[in-house]
């Protein structure tokens, strides 16, 4: 039916897992969701004009999943060694499963990295990394009008994420051979048509390292269709960070993924242009209730459907 193992089945634990109906049920749910969403993306049903990021069915599916999980957690009790009893919902709210906790921890980590960098006069870069045009099912015309991209190769957002990941692996290997060390955070998020792109907040030890980082990224990111129209200008974008400005650069992208009032001020980069996105869903369906400014739910549904890690520390 199209389900494949991520790794070869080796050893008794993996054999038993493949014999477990619950494992197959989970894998079938993931598979069906991705096939359905890939169809919506391929048909051009996911774009700025329809709310963006994820299809209506994909958003509804994710909301139903979260509702089921919340009900299960609320009705499950845990007793510790001291005899205290809590619901699993109460315990889950204390960890990174809570979007506000996850957002706070990410901002704390960025602030710590920034203070470390400023104390050592390291050079900070804010980098936006995008995909070749063939990964985009939709394009934007004048006035924000959307239309089908003739170059679209049928790739899914997961395929796009794999391309970004593979290129970044080459970049890191090259930098390691050159003796250039970097640290920071990268954020994966969707364009309006569900195509992923990355924002990376990186520090290098000196100016020479920063220039080497820029050169290596440009080399690999433009090694695939680098001569197509707009690639030189839009495929990669670099900004030098000022002292104390790192948290401000990345805050809105974290907010877009975990939910915050900063969503209202978010600007998305589409084909090199800053586009203000309306996070309120265009449909007024009674079965999908998403208040204005709650677009992070669509981003969450996108990441969950495609199995994309939104935040990765480096």
């Amino acid at each position: 039916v199209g389900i494949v193992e991520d790794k070869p089945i080796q050893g008794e634990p993996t054999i038993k897992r493949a014999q477990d109906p619950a494992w197959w049920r989970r894998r079938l749910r993931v598979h069906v969701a991705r096939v359905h969403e890939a169809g919506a993306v391929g048909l051009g049903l996911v774009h700025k004009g329809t709310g963006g990021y994820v299809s209506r069915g994909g958003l509804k599916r994710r909301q139903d999943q979260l509702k089921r999980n919340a009900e299960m957690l609320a009705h499950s009790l845990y007793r510790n060694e001291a005899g205290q009893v809590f619901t699993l919902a109460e315990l889950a709210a204390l960890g990174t499963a809570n979007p506000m906790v996850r957002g706070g921890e990410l901002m704390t980590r960025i602030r710590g990295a920034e203070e470390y960098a400023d104390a050592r006069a390291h050079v900070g870069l804010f980098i936006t990394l995008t995909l070749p045009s063939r990964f985009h099912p939709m394009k934007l015309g004048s006035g924000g009008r959307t239309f089908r991209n003739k170059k679209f190769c049928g790739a899914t957002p997961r395929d796009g994420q794999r391309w970004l990941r593979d290129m970044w692996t080459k970049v890191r290997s090259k930098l390691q051979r050159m003796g250039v060390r970097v640290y920071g955070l990268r954020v994966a998020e969707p364009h309006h048509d569900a195509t992923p792109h990355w924002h990376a907040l990186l520090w290098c030890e000196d100016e020479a390292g920063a220039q080497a980082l820029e050169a290596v990224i440009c080399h690999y990111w433009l090694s695939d269709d680098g001569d197509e129209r707009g690639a030189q200008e839009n495929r990669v974008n670099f900004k030098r960070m000022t002292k104390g400005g790192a948290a401000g650069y990345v805050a809105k992208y974290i907010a877009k993924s975990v939910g915050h009032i900063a969503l209202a001020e978010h600007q998305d980069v589409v084909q090199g242009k800053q586009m203000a996105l309306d996070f309120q869903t265009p449909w007024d369906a009674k079965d999908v209730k998403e208040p204005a400014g709650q677009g992070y739910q669509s981003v969450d549904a996108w990441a969950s459907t495609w199995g994309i890690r939104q935040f990765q520390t480096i």
Side-chain angles (χ1 to χ4, degrees):
V1 297
I3 295 177
V4 296
E5 278 283 313
D6 297 327
K7 298 178 181 179
I9 298 177
Q10 295 178 345
E12 186 176 359
T14 51
I15 292 175
K16 287 185 175 180
R17 183 185 65 189
Q19 294 174 331
D20 182 6
W23 180 85
W24 279 98
R25 190 181 303 115
R26 289 193 297 270
R27 294 303 295 262
L28 281 168
R29 280 178 175 168
V30 171
H31 180 65
V32 169
R34 289 178 182 172
V35 170
H36 181 277
E37 193 64 20
V41 171
L43 289 171
L45 302 179
V46 180
H47 54 79
K48 182 176 180 287
T50 61
Y53 309 143
V54 69
S55 69
R56 176 179 176 178
L59 178 60
K60 181 67 163 55
R61 187 183 301 109
R62 176 59 171 168
Q63 290 178 331
D64 288 344
Q65 179 190 22
L66 292 175
K67 182 179 178 181
R68 290 195 306 270
N69 292 346
E71 290 175 350
M72 183 273 293
L73 292 174
H75 292 87
S76 301
L77 301 178
Y78 177 82
R79 184 190 303 273
N80 65 13
E81 64 276 6
Q84 296 171 311
V85 178
F86 304 92
T87 67
L88 290 183
E90 291 175 315
L91 299 178
L94 302 175
T96 54
N98 183 336
M100 298 308 296
V101 174
R102 184 164 69 252
E105 289 200 1
L106 287 166
M107 291 303 295
T108 300
R109 184 169 293 194
I110 283 298
R111 175 61 67 188
E114 182 178 30
E115 292 176 355
Y116 176 88
D118 290 345
R120 289 157 182 78
H122 289 174
V123 180
L125 295 171
F126 183 74
I127 308 169
T128 300
L129 305 169
T130 61
L131 288 162
S133 63
R134 69 177 186 274
F135 286 91
H136 288 270
M138 303 296 293
K139 297 183 72 174
L140 284 175
S142 58
R145 180 179 58 88
T146 58
F147 58 95
R148 301 289 292 274
N149 179 17
K150 295 180 180 179
K151 292 184 178 180
F152 180 53
C153 65
T156 67
R158 193 170 175 84
D159 295 328
Q161 177 75 357
R162 188 177 296 113
W163 188 96
L164 292 167
R165 186 190 64 198
D166 292 345
M167 286 298 175
W168 180 245
T169 299
K170 294 177 181 179
V171 168
R172 294 199 69 178
S173 297
K174 177 66 173 179
L175 292 175
Q176 189 172 17
R177 292 193 297 270
M178 297 171 64
V180 176
R181 299 190 296 176
V182 299
Y183 60 95
L185 174 80
R186 74 108 176 114
V187 181
E189 63 173 15
H191 282 298
H192 69 111
D193 60 358
T195 306
H197 63 285
W198 286 6
H199 298 290
L201 194 62
L202 302 176
W203 285 273
C204 300
E205 294 178 315
D206 51 34
E207 179 61 30
Q211 293 182 10
L213 175 63
E214 291 182 357
V216 172
I217 288 178
C218 284
H219 170 73
Y220 283 108
W221 248 257
L222 294 173
S223 64
D224 185 352
D225 281 344
D227 56 349
E228 67 178 357
R229 182 180 178 183
Q232 298 287 337
E233 298 82 7
N234 303 322
R235 185 77 59 83
V236 182
N237 181 266
F238 299 97
K239 290 182 180 179
R240 293 301 178 96
M241 287 187 293
T242 58
K243 183 176 180 180
Y249 275 106
V250 79
K252 63 182 179 181
Y253 300 106
I254 292 177
K256 183 179 177 182
S257 298
V258 301
H260 194 272
I261 194 170
L263 284 170
E265 300 174 357
H266 181 74
Q267 298 284 318
D268 198 9
V269 179
V270 181
Q271 296 175 250
K273 299 178 181 179
Q274 290 283 350
M275 301 294 296
L277 289 184
D278 180 3
F279 289 102
Q280 187 172 12
T281 49
W283 53 82
D284 189 21
K286 295 180 180 179
D287 58 340
V288 181
K289 295 181 180 179
E290 183 172 75
Q294 299 299 303
Y296 72 91
Q297 296 179 2
S298 296
V299 177
D300 169 74
W302 169 83
S304 174
T305 299
W306 295 111
I308 292 177
R309 176 181 285 182
Q310 293 173 274
F311 306 103
Q312 175 66 58
T313 54
I314 300 166

